[in-house]
Every structure is written in structure tokens, then in C-alpha cells.
Amino acid sequence: MKNWSREERYRVLKSPEEIRDLYERIKKTPYRQTYHIQPVTGLLNDPNGFVWHDGKWHLFYQWCPWGAVHGLKYWYQTVSRDLITWENVGVTIKPDCDLDNKGAYSGSAWPEGDKLQLFYTGNHRDPDWTRIPYTCMYTLFDDNTGEKKAEPLFGPHPDYTEHQRDPKILFDEETGYYYICNGGQTKDKKGCMLIYRSKSLSEGWEFAGKLNVPGFEDFGGMWECPAIERIGDKDVLIFCPQHMKLIHRGDVTNHNGYILGTMDWSTLTFTPDGKFHVLDFGFDSYAAECANNSPDPASKILVAWMGLPDSSYPTDEDEWSGCLTLPRELRIRDRRLIQVPLPGLEALRGDEVDPADGILPEACEMIVKSDGGNMTLSLFTKADGTGGIMIYYDAAWKMVTVDRSGLTKRFNIDQGEMREHPTEFPLSTMRIFIDRSSVEIFVNEGDAVFSSRVFPTEEEHFFRAEGASGVQIWKIRPAVSDEFIV
Ligand code: FRU
């Protein structure tokens, strides 16, 4: 694997021409996605600034142009009218000032009149490489021009470590304040959320305090990308605790999950109503973000990076990595979140394929029905039915297991090659979205979702289903432009 020097990773992109050849090369490689957002070149990680504004969904992502490496980060913008088909717009926030000299890191967006206000972390490093994270603002105008605010909204809080980032902006009607939630870490290395408030989006920000979450004072070493979302009459704390292990999650130490509860902004206390749940039970999902300003108060739209920090992927050698999950609708059922594919996705269905052929089109949707008995579904097997990714349902334990060790291209093996999760009710359906290098499995109408990257070889495009009561497959039409717009 390529060894990147610091100079190479943090090189400033001066002109799109510097990466045009790279794009032309990457475009021809086998694992480019067809209906998932992916980077034109280089690395994509967190979704940022997801918001409904001006009749469109705006969705940005963390982007490093040079290759599959976490280096200098830009905000790259895509837009959609329906959350299904997406257009590339190009780079929005460039790390081109002293505040963000080593990256425009993650954040969120809030509409203000006809402008979109973007809040992000300016990842500043001094010449001796000391990090100073600033919370910064960028205004995006209707004609897609923009302007950076010269001064940060605020700098790092001195009582916490340098790990303070990922501003999520929200408004609370009761207190009449805007709040910015930043991920943080206490000096004794415990993950936390730091809250700032102001009556105005662009000035007057003051530190309100650290979020109290009784019972979660010692839960992971840093909380990345935290947010408090209101769904119906419940609050949800969504965050990524790092440096810890969880049951059924192999040796992974970066997680994305949530706690349901009640938020009291006047005391900055989030009272949990239950335990920490993992958001997505697959291998590759992190830094999920819910759209701000979405029209339906009873649900949220969530999208995540289909990848993990500290990991490598087979496309790294082709100098690109990462894609986003399909946006999903989040709702609360009993005391848990359920996640379902968006209703408009059916419109992407093309020809229906006969499952008796046992062939998997490279981009397809599959509905597998079950009467609740044991089931084994192998996707991306070879023609003789061997290998592939195995999805088992064990009726006695109501346990879904996904095992990707049978694929020829194995990766991140040290994190474990099996993920499992018990379902609440016996298995009735799996709705599966397959693209050239990913598989997203929605179990029992949103009870659980498993999102994973997979890199099947040319021979691995067959499937086998044992114990299923029905299988339907449709080809899926391309929905995301892969145009060279920078
Ligand atoms: C999460 C994260 C964020 C940070 C960004 C940098 O994946 O580490 O905390 O803002 O990625 O790209």
C-alpha cells in the first residue's frame, strides 16, 4: 500500500486539472458505485451539512482529493430533489485560510432566508503540528457562491483536549437559542458533547456546558459527530464513541449509535430512556448525520459514511475510497429507532430478474421473504455456489449473522469478519440493496439494518437462498452522477 508523506496528504488542490487524469483512471475501475454517492477521486468520509433548503436536499461530504488517505479535507457538495438521484456540484468549503489550514472538518447546515449557513471545524495546526480546532462558519448563497466568516465563532475550550469538533447546529423553541453540539474529550480522555448557544447564527456564541448523560460519563474515549435530534415527542442522542469494544462488534473500536431519551436544554441534561444501541449492524457505517429542516417532524432522514476510520479497502490501490449509505427514514417504534429505505426508491427499479437463474445483477434490489424458519442466503458466490457473503437467520435465537469471510477479496480482517444481531420478531423480510461494491440489508421493515462494503471478483456474481419463502430481484438504474465537477 502507498506510504503517504505528510506533504502529499496535505497538498492543496490548486486546480481541478491536477486530478483530471486520476479521475479518468478511477472511472474505469470495477467497483465504482451506480446509485450511491462516491468521491470523484480520493477519499470520502463523513456526510456533512445535510439539509432541506430552497426546494432541494443539499448533502456535502468530507473529501480528500489525492487518494485513499485521510489528508487535507474539503467539503464537496451534491444536491437532490428526491433524495434518490444526486448531482455533483463541486467543492464548497476549501481549507484555504489559517483557521482551517489542515482541513475543513465535519459539520452541519442551517437555512437562513435564501442563504445556507454551514458550520464546520477548522482543523488548524501550528508549525509544530499542535492542533487547534476552531468552530467556523461559511455562508452559501443562492447562486452557489460563498463566503467564509473571517473570525471563528469560537475556539477550543481550554478545559478539554484538542479533540473538539463536528458542530451540529439546532434550534430549541423553548429556550429560543440556537445550539451547537461539538464532539469532545475530557482531559482524562472520556468522550463527551460540548454545547454552545447563541440567539444569532453568526455571532454571540457562548459556552453553555458539557452535556450530562447520567450513566454515560465513562463511555468511549472521544465522541465524534454528536447530535441531538427530535423525532416525534422523543429526543435521540446520536454519536460515535471511539476507543471501546461492544458485544457482537468484533474488534472494532469506532462505533455509531444512539440513546433515546429526553433533552432538557435548560439544565443541559439528556435523560436516557434505555441503553446505547448500535445504529447499523453491518461492517461499514459511521458518522451518520440527520438532515436539518426536514419537513416531517415524526421522522428524520439519515445518511452515513459507508466506511470506518482506521480501515483500508480494496479500492485504495485505485486511489479512491468510501461512499455514503442510501439515505434512510428514521422513526421511533416502541423504545427503538427503526430505519427504512425511502419510498421513492421503487422508482429506480428496472427489469425484474428471474431468481431461478441464481445470478446477481451488479446493481439490484432483492426482496427475500421468510416464514420465520432458519434461512441461509449467500450473495456473490461463485458459479458452483461456494464463497460469497453469507447471511444466516437462526430461528431458535432469532439471530441474523452476516459473514463476509467467504469473499475472495477480504479486508479489515483484524476487525472481525462476522456481525450479528438478534431481531425482535421472527424473520419475515430482508430488503437488500446491492451496488457494485456495497450491500445494505434492511431486516423486518426497519427492525435492523446491516450496511457493508463488498468487492466481489468477476466470478462472484451468483447467489443461493435456502429456507426463503420467496425471492424477487430487480435491476436498479443508475441514479448518482459521476461527473468530473470540482
Ligand atoms: C469522523 C471524523 C470527524 C472529523 C472528520 C475529519 O470520521 O474524524 O470527527 O471532523 O472525520 O475528516
Side-chain angles (χ1 to χ4, degrees), residues 395-407:
W397 296 94
K398 290 207 277 321
M399 183 72 87
V400 176
T401 304
V402 179
D403 178 347
R404 68 177 174 186
S405 64
L407 286 160

Side-chain angles (χ1 to χ4, degrees), residues 231 236 258 260 277-279 281 298-302 328-341 424-425 442-449:
I231 306 183
V236 190
Y258 69 91
L260 290 189
H277 299 267
V278 168
L279 256 178
F281 300 98
S299 72
K300 288 274 166 184
I301 312 288
L302 175 127
R328 294 113 196 238
E329 192 178 271
L330 283 188
R331 287 182 185 274
I332 294 177
R333 190 199 282 155
D334 303 327
R335 291 169 66 203
R336 279 184 322 111
L337 280 180
I338 56 158
Q339 299 182 51
V340 287
E424 202 173 333
F425 301 104
F442 293 85
V443 180
N444 285 357
E445 320 268 316
D447 188 17
V449 51

Side-chain angles (χ1 to χ4, degrees), residues 238-286:
I238 300 182
F239 61 113
C240 298
Q242 298 193 291
H243 320 311
M244 64 186 293
K245 287 193 184 169
L246 293 173
I247 185 168
H248 300 311
R249 304 291 305 152
D251 281 338
V252 175
T253 54
N254 298 298
H255 309 278
N256 198 174
Y258 69 91
I259 308 169
L260 290 189
T262 309
M263 179 64 197
D264 182 344
W265 289 100
S266 62
T267 61
L268 301 185
T269 302
F270 184 91
T271 307
D273 175 18
K275 59 174 192 158
F276 175 86
H277 299 267
V278 168
L279 256 178
D280 187 309
F281 300 98
F283 294 90
D284 304 290
S285 178
Y286 197 71

Side-chain angles (χ1 to χ4, degrees), residues 404-423:
R404 68 177 174 186
S405 64
L407 286 160
T408 305
K409 290 202 176 179
R410 294 165 68 187
F411 54 102
N412 297 329
I413 295 175
D414 55 332
Q415 297 172 1
E417 294 180 280
M418 213 155 87
R419 294 286 179 268
E420 41 184 26
H421 177 67
T423 58

Side-chain angles (χ1 to χ4, degrees), residues 45-46 62 70 73 105-106 165-166 224-225 286-287 305 309:
N45 58 306
D46 311 355
Q62 287 281 285
H70 289 273
K73 297 286 171 73
Y105 275 11
S106 288
R165 56 179 175 265
D166 310 336
E224 291 192 313
C225 306
Y286 197 71
W305 167 28

Side-chain angles (χ1 to χ4, degrees), residues 37 39 43-48 61-62 70 73 106 224-225 240 242 254 256 280 283-289 302-313 321-326 328 440 451-453:
I37 293 171
L43 178 139
L44 165 159
N45 58 306
D46 311 355
N48 293 156
Y61 56 78
Q62 287 281 285
H70 289 273
K73 297 286 171 73
S106 288
E224 291 192 313
C225 306
C240 298
Q242 298 193 291
N254 298 298
N256 198 174
D280 187 309
F283 294 90
D284 304 290
S285 178
Y286 197 71
E289 188 187 10
L302 175 127
V303 68
W305 167 28
M306 213 178 331
L308 282 182
D310 312 322
S311 304
S312 41
Y313 292 88
S321 147
C323 66
L324 298 183
T325 63
L326 290 174
R328 294 113 196 238
E440 289 158 280
S451 303
S452 307
R453 299 303 302 277

